[in-house]
């Protein structure tokens, strides 16, 4: 992977978050939550700064980042698409919906489209089982999604049709 | 404070919010203001009503009218007809599928009739963001009683007598857990609330925190008083933003009212609560893993003993209970141990909340007395199987549990009966499956989940489950052998016997229970290369019956890959090399011409 150079401002931001949590090793997960919510993802370079600030090894930080599914080392698309793969959504056809998204976007789970517009991920139960199968685009929840609706949902976010009436 | 004579309760649970209940609430308020009624009718956003299938739900008090599937545009009609003219909006009332009659009172609905709500007592009744409403419903009375009238050991005896068992999965007696932690001497102890709901398809903990956060706070304080802890921690999934927000509001209000902090209610008891965020790891439901995660580490379980009650968070004695367990505590203290023990079966007292989902008519959150039968849950409360299909199995206990077939429909549900039947209570996920669900695929689905979630510490779980998955995959491709079936069983047993924590010890359960109950389906995949439910793609192909095809072109127009060809009004054909087996043509055909072979 090519090395990215962090902007001075970003480094300052990371440092200030670490200070906010008293530079304590035991606060690592809280620090990661804060920084990911600000930067969108946690690349290796960011982890290096955190490790130095909290006075721990980069390997330990990396170990935690990769352990938890909520943390990501890759940038998300402009419109992150998450397909619920909880059991309720699965038995009501979540897998077929996922398959259609993969086919339309030409990417696998965990990838982002070349234009940076969409990224695809699976999640486990958003607690809206009454609406199964459920798809999230950003924060917007689509319920009772059928494979046929997939292209329509994607089109809502394509350029030129951003103002399409939402369901 | 203004005196309201009518209250409109709008569900603010996650499911209903996803169906625009926020906009609905705003529309209701605006319309009331148009008529100058804003000081007489109050619009409240409550927690989950449980009837998620027909959300968003609106309930009008005092007459208990229950409106279902309410859209934002219906706000005008509700205000103009119901509030102004006192006429119920007929088309928004729930229609009983048995007789097509509209039901106007929720108490008359089958969905609610058999429920007993203890942990969910306030969900859907009070505004979770207002502590006064909780206090108005006996809130914090239990904490007051404990601090004023009981010694810690007396409260523990009361909980022990009630027979309450942990609702997070294992079913360990709660009073006993508190007693053990109480007896350990230490300068600092901790109360931890496990709100890291990981079972895919269970959402009771989030609903309790979203609908009634104070009940958990109150119970944690009572627990702190009993075990001698001055600090509490709630470990909650970061994926639950609404629950986190409401919990934060509740914590602030409780501190403001002196119900948290120093010298609570004039006693010498101090207690405060902090929030810790989980980051998506199923294994963190295990006590020791959860504690490591709170310490900022990877959530890997460690060997017990020492138990958390001796050495837990930061090496101090720690009592971990689940959200639903805590929510049961205040009513037990208010109404007495005997009252609680009178509900349920001999060894499982009280109620259990289940997230009823899958192929069932009434998806939702229900709370039923222990000892109720599956038949009552599925057919009376759940309203039967969707689209009139045949019931096949119900999966309880999530990825650690198993499937129960129709032979178990009349078995009373409690901890011990479920274990004896090869499943478990777990956190209360209940997924109903019908004839279209392939049990090999279901077992594969759960194993895939376990593979993702295994922390990797123990070899049998990390590698063994991977091998199990590969064998299942092979079977679903039609390449399995009879030897594979034996291997599945043997390997499952080894994984169960040699894993450290609950995740590994239970992960093969979905495989073992489907092998036990649905051997014929495995055999069909292996010997006949057929998937009886028509789910395993590699084993099926779609064809159009020339005789029945009318050439309506519906399948042709809906095929996403252009695999269907044919003349208008003439028979159509599917090009097998292009077909992705999505099944849309089968769904669309009105003449039953598309067949699976």
């Amino acid at each position: 992977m090519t090395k990215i150079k962090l902007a001075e401002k970003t480094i300052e931001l990371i440092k200030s978050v670490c200070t906010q949590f008293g530079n304590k090793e035991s606060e690592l997960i809280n620090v990661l939550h804060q920084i990911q919510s600000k930067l969108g993802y946690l690349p290796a370079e960011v982890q290096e700064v955190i490790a130095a600030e909290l006075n721990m090894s980069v390997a330990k930080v990396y170990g935690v980042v990769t352990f938890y599914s909520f943390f990501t080392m890759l940038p998300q698309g402009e419109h992150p698409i998450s397909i619920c793969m909880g059991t309720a959504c699965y038995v009501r056809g979540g897998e077929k919906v996922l398959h259609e998204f993969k086919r339309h976007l030409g990417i696998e789970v965990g990838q982002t489209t070349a234009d940076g517009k969409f990224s695809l991920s699976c999640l486990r139960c958003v607690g809206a089982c009454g609406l199964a199968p459920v798809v999230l685009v950003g924060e917007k929840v689509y319920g009772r999604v059928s494979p046929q609706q997939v292209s329509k949902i994607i089109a809502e976010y394509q350029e030129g049709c951003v103002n399409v009436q939402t369901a | 404070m203004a005196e309201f004579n009518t209250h409109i309760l709008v569900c603010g649970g996650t499911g209903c919010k996803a169906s625009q209940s926020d906009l609905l609430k705003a529309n209701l308020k605006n319309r009331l203001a148009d008529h100058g009624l804003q000081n007489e009718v109050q619009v409240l956003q409550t927690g989950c009503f449980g009837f998620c299938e027909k959300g968003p739900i609106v309930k009008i008090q005092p007459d208990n009218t229950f409106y279902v599937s309410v859209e934002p545009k219906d706000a005008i009609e509700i205000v103009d007809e119901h509030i102004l003219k006192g006429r119920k909006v007929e088309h928004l009332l729930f229609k009983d599928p048995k007789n097509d009659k509209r039901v106007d009172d929720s108490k008359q609905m089958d969905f609610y009739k058999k429920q007993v709500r203890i942990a969910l007592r306030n969900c859907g009744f009070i505004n979770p963001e207002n502590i006064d409403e909780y206090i108005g419903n006996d809130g914090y009375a239990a904490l007051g009683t404990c601090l004023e009238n009981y010694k810690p050991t007396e409260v523990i005896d009361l909980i022990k007598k009630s027979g309450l068992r942990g609702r997070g999965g294992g079913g360990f007696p709660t009073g006993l857990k508190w007693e053990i932690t109480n007896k350990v001497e230490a300068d600092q102890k901790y109360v931890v609330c496990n709100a890291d709901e990981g079972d895919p398809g269970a959402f009771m903990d989030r609903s309790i925190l979203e609908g009634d956060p104070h009940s958990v706070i109150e119970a944690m304080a009572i627990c702190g008083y009993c075990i001698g802890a001055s600090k509490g921690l709630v470990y909650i999934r970061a994926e639950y933003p609404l629950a986190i927000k409401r919990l934060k509001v509740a914590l602030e209000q409780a501190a403001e009212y002196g119900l948290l902090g120093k010298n609570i209610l004039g006693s010498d008891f101090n207690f405060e609560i902090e929030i810790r965020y989980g980051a998506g790891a199923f294994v963190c439901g295990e006590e020791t893993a959860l504690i490591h995660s709170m310490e900022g580490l990877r959530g890997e379980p460690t060997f017990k003993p020492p138990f958390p009650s001796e050495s837990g968070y930061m090496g101090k004695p720690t009592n971990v209970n689940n959200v639903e367990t805590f929510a049961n505590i205040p009513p037990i203290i208010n109404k007495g141990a005997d009252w609680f023990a009178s509900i349920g079966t001999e060894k499982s007292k009280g109620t259990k909340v289940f997230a009823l989902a899958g192929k069932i008519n009434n998806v939702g959150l229900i709370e039923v007395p222990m000892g109720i039968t599956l038949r009552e849950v599925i057919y009376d409360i759940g309203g039967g199987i969707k689209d009139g299909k045949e019931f096949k199995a119900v999966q309880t206990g999530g990825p650690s549990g198993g499937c129960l077939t129709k032979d178990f429909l009349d078995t009373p549900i409690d901890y011990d009966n479920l274990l004896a039947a090869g499943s478990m209570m777990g956190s209360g996920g209940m997924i109903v499956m019908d004839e279209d669900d392939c049990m090999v695929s279901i077992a594969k689905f759960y194993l895939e989940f376990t593979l993702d979630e295994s922390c990797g510490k123990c070899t049998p779980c990390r590698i063994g489950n991977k091998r199990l998955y590969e064998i299942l995959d092979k079977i679903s491709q039609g390449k399995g052998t009879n030897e594979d079936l034996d291997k599945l069983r043997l390997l499952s047993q080894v994984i169960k016997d040699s894993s450290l924590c609950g995740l590994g010890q239970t992960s093969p359960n979905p495989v073992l229970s489907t092998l036990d109950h649905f051997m014929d389906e495995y055999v069909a995949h292996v010997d006949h290369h057929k998937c009886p439910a028509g789910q395993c793609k590699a084993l099926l192909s779609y064809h159009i019956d020339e005789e029945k095809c009318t050439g309506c072109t519906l399948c042709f127009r809906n095929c996403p890959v252009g695999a269907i060809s044919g003349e208008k009004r003439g028979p159509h054909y599917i090009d097998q090399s292009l077909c992705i087996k999505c099944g849309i043509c089968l769904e669309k055909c009105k003449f039953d011409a598309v067949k699976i072979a």
Side-chain angles (χ1 to χ4, degrees):
Chain A
M1 210 193 267
T2 50
K3 197 102 169 137
I4 43 174
K5 192 162 159 36
L6 296 179
E8 211 44 52
K9 225 171 65 194
T10 313
I11 297 176
E12 282 311 310
L13 176 95
I14 299 169
K15 284 184 176 169
S16 78
V17 171
C18 292
T19 323
Q20 193 191 320
F21 286 98
N23 288 359
K24 276 193 279 184
E25 197 179 327
S26 60
E27 297 287 345
L28 176 62
I29 292 180
N30 284 333
V31 168
L32 294 174
H33 270 299
Q34 281 270 332
I35 295 177
Q36 180 166 298
S37 77
K38 292 191 163 110
L39 301 181
Y41 69 123
L42 300 164
E45 294 74 11
V46 169
Q47 295 177 35
E48 281 166 19
V49 182
I50 296 172
E53 287 301 300
L54 303 185
N55 197 22
M56 59 200 292
S57 74
V58 185
K60 259 194 169 170
V61 177
Y62 177 79
V64 170
V65 170
T66 50
F67 185 85
Y68 296 99
S69 60
F70 192 76
F71 299 131
T72 169
M73 289 178 62
L74 293 171
Q76 297 295 293
E78 193 184 325
H79 306 288
I81 300 174
S82 313
I83 287 104
C84 182
M85 274 291 153
T87 321
C89 287
Y90 175 81
V91 299
R92 283 199 183 179
E95 205 184 21
K96 287 180 188 151
V97 174
L98 171 65
H99 187 86
E100 276 300 292
F101 271 105
K102 282 191 201 168
R103 212 173 58 77
H104 274 278
L105 298 172
I107 53 173
E108 287 296 309
V109 174
Q111 294 180 337
T112 304
T113 50
D115 59 1
K117 254 192 146 28
F118 299 100
S119 53
L120 193 59
S121 65
C122 287
L123 51 78
R124 304 282 183 190
C125 201
V126 291
C129 305
L131 299 173
V134 172
V135 171
L136 273 101
V137 182
E139 307 241 303
K140 190 169 155 59
V141 181
Y142 293 83
R144 303 197 174 99
V145 178
S146 68
Q148 293 97 303
Q149 282 170 292
V150 167
S151 54
K152 241 189 269 167
I153 293 175
I154 295 175
E156 272 184 44
Y157 297 87
Q158 297 284 24
E159 232 156 339
C161 354
V162 187
N163 295 324
V164 171
Q165 181 134 40
T166 44
Chain B
M1 216 163 80
E3 282 288 319
F4 298 103
N5 50 34
T6 308
H7 299 270
I8 304 181
L9 311 178
V10 181
C11 180
T14 302
C16 287
K17 266 184 172 269
S19 307
Q20 295 187 296
S21 74
D22 281 336
L23 182 59
L24 170 63
K25 184 186 157 199
N27 287 356
L28 283 167
K29 279 195 158 172
N30 289 339
R31 192 62 183 177
L32 287 169
D34 289 347
H35 293 295
L37 289 169
Q38 64 274 25
N39 293 324
E40 281 158 60
V41 182
Q42 189 184 27
V43 183
L44 283 176
Q45 193 157 49
T46 66
C48 182
F49 282 89
F51 198 46
C52 307
E53 177 73 31
K54 293 269 188 292
I57 307 287
V58 171
K59 192 168 175 177
I60 298 180
Q61 296 282 34
D63 58 14
N64 237 352
T65 309
F66 196 81
Y67 289 132
V68 296
S69 306
V70 186
E71 291 176 32
K73 66 171 169 57
D74 297 326
I76 293 174
E77 209 177 346
I78 291 178
V79 173
D80 291 5
E81 285 293 309
H82 190 128
I83 304 294
L84 280 179
K85 300 181 189 149
R87 286 199 295 242
K88 297 194 175 181
V89 184
E90 196 70 13
H91 72 99
L92 293 176
L93 292 170
F94 175 70
K95 192 154 121 195
D96 191 331
K98 279 184 196 148
N99 51 20
D100 273 353
K101 276 209 179 116
R102 300 279 177 179
V103 188
D104 57 4
D105 185 340
S106 60
K107 288 194 189 105
Q108 301 303 318
M109 285 166 60
D110 285 338
F111 183 77
Y112 287 107
K113 260 193 225 162
K114 290 208 168 172
Q115 293 198 43
V116 177
R117 289 163 91 92
I118 299 174
L120 298 178
R121 63 195 179 281
N122 289 325
C123 289
F125 290 98
I126 62 166
N127 176 357
E129 296 187 19
N130 185 347
I131 190 171
D132 292 326
E133 294 204 15
Y134 180 67
I135 293 173
N137 284 286
D138 296 333
Y140 290 103
L143 178 62
T145 312
C146 289
L147 294 177
E148 216 166 290
N149 304 334
Y150 295 123
K151 281 191 249 158
T153 46
E154 286 171 336
V155 183
I156 292 175
D157 285 339
L158 191 90
I159 303 294
K160 275 170 80 175
K161 213 175 132 205
S162 76
L164 176 66
R165 293 169 69 173
R167 300 292 194 243
F172 193 82
T174 306
L176 190 61
K177 206 176 205 176
W178 289 19
E179 189 176 42
I180 297 168
T181 323
N182 167 285
K183 284 186 177 155
V184 182
E185 294 283 336
D187 55 343
Q188 177 65 276
K189 295 183 191 176
Y190 294 98
V191 175
V192 172
C193 172
N194 179 358
D196 187 53
E197 201 163 38
D199 174 358
F203 52 99
M204 56 282 299
D205 292 351
R206 102 179 280 164
S207 289
I208 292 171
L209 285 171
E210 286 176 1
D212 192 17
H214 285 288
S215 70
V216 177
I217 296 174
E218 182 181 9
M220 284 178 74
I222 294 171
C223 177
Y225 174 69
C226 291
I227 66 166
S230 61
K231 247 190 141 166
L233 298 151
V234 180
Y235 183 80
I236 186 167
R237 281 176 68 175
E239 291 97 322
Y240 282 3
L242 185 62
I244 292 171
K245 182 187 148 223
R246 295 210 171 132
L247 184 62
K248 278 185 177 164
V249 171
L251 285 174
E252 271 168 31
Q253 289 176 344
E256 207 176 288
Y257 277 55
L259 297 161
L260 285 177
K262 296 225 179 301
N263 302 104
I264 295 172
L265 297 170
S267 70
D268 55 4
F269 172 59
N270 308 323
F271 194 72
E272 53 182 52
I273 296 177
E274 264 181 46
I275 301 179
R276 289 290 158 136
Y277 300 108
F282 181 62
V283 69
C284 288
E286 204 276 344
E287 288 181 326
T288 57
L290 183 152
I291 288 166
H292 294 313
S293 179
M294 289 199 309
E295 292 167 342
L297 307 169
R298 286 164 67 94
E300 286 174 1
T302 41
F303 193 74
K304 293 194 272 193
F307 287 91
S309 50
E310 293 158 354
S311 170
Y313 182 64
M314 299 295 177
K316 303 290 183 191
T318 305
N319 181 88
V320 186
N321 281 129
N322 145 286
V323 172
E324 191 188 333
T325 316
F326 277 127
N328 274 295
I329 300 286
I332 292 177
I333 289 163
N334 287 333
K335 296 187 180 174
D338 294 330
W339 161 77
F340 191 80
S342 70
I343 304 164
T345 63
E346 195 196 336
K347 286 184 178 161
S348 306
K349 301 297 185 191
T351 57
K352 177 76 192 88
V353 182
F354 289 102
L356 196 57
K359 305 283 183 61
I360 188 149
N361 279 319
N362 302 336
V363 167
L365 202 62
I366 61 166
E367 183 169 356
V368 289
M370 296 273 191
I372 196 170
T373 63
L374 273 179
R375 190 184 299 282
E376 288 172 282
V377 170
I378 294 169
Y379 290 96
D380 295 343
I381 298 174
I385 309 300
K386 240 186 157 44
D387 303 327
K389 299 224 170 166
E390 180 100 16
F391 168 80
K392 185 170 198 172
V394 57
Q395 215 279 353
T396 67
S400 309
C403 292
L404 301 170
T405 58
K406 60 175 184 292
D407 299 338
F408 294 95
L409 276 176
D410 294 308
T411 309
I413 303 171
D414 68 6
Y415 289 98
D416 309 288
N417 281 338
L418 286 180
L419 266 185
S423 183
M424 66 185 278
M425 184 74 82
S427 53
M430 201 178 252
I431 311 283
V432 179
M433 295 165 200
D434 68 10
E435 53 195 292
D436 292 338
D437 289 305
C438 164
M439 301 319 276
V440 179
S441 301
I442 294 290
K444 208 174 106 181
F445 166 79
Y446 278 113
L447 260 231
E448 200 179 348
F449 177 83
T450 311
L451 279 189
D452 273 356
E453 298 296 342
S454 169
C455 77
K457 180 172 178 148
C458 307
T459 317
C461 176
R462 183 183 68 242
I463 300 176
N465 279 318
K466 177 97 180 138
R467 292 293 98 83
L468 275 185
Y469 177 81
E470 285 163 1
I471 297 173
L472 285 174
D473 193 46
K474 198 173 145 196
I475 294 173
S476 71
Q477 305 274 345
K479 294 173 189 156
T481 60
N482 280 311
E483 203 194 344
D484 286 329
L485 295 180
D486 297 334
K487 265 193 207 156
L488 276 181
R489 217 177 257 284
L490 183 69
L491 187 52
S492 293
Q493 208 52 54
V494 171
I495 296 170
K496 276 174 85 97
D497 291 343
S498 52
S499 296
L500 174 65
C501 82
L503 190 146
Q505 285 163 10
T506 57
S507 60
N509 281 355
V511 180
L512 287 173
S513 102
T514 46
L515 275 174
D516 284 343
H517 299 307
F518 298 97
M519 193 55 173
D520 52 333
E521 275 192 43
Y522 279 90
V523 172
H525 283 76
V526 170
D527 287 352
H528 311 292
H529 309 292
K530 284 251 153 32
C531 175
Q535 287 291 320
C536 294
K537 276 190 185 169
L539 299 183
L540 51 92
S541 57
Y542 290 87
H543 299 277
I544 295 174
D545 185 339
E546 282 184 39
E547 303 269 298
K548 286 190 172 172
C549 180
T550 61
C552 71
T553 74
L554 200 57
C555 58
F556 165 77
R557 280 180 281 141
N558 279 287
C559 179
V561 289
I564 301 178
S565 57
E567 293 290 316
K568 207 172 176 184
R569 295 202 185 83
H572 281 54
Y573 304 94
I574 300 176
D575 182 343
Q576 297 299 331
S577 64
L578 291 175
C579 177
I580 55 164
K581 299 171 184 175
C582 66
I584 291 174
C585 50
L586 178 78
E587 246 170 62
K588 288 284 167 191
C589 183
K590 289 181 181 145
F591 306 99
D592 198 22
V594 181
K595 303 278 177 207
I596 298 178

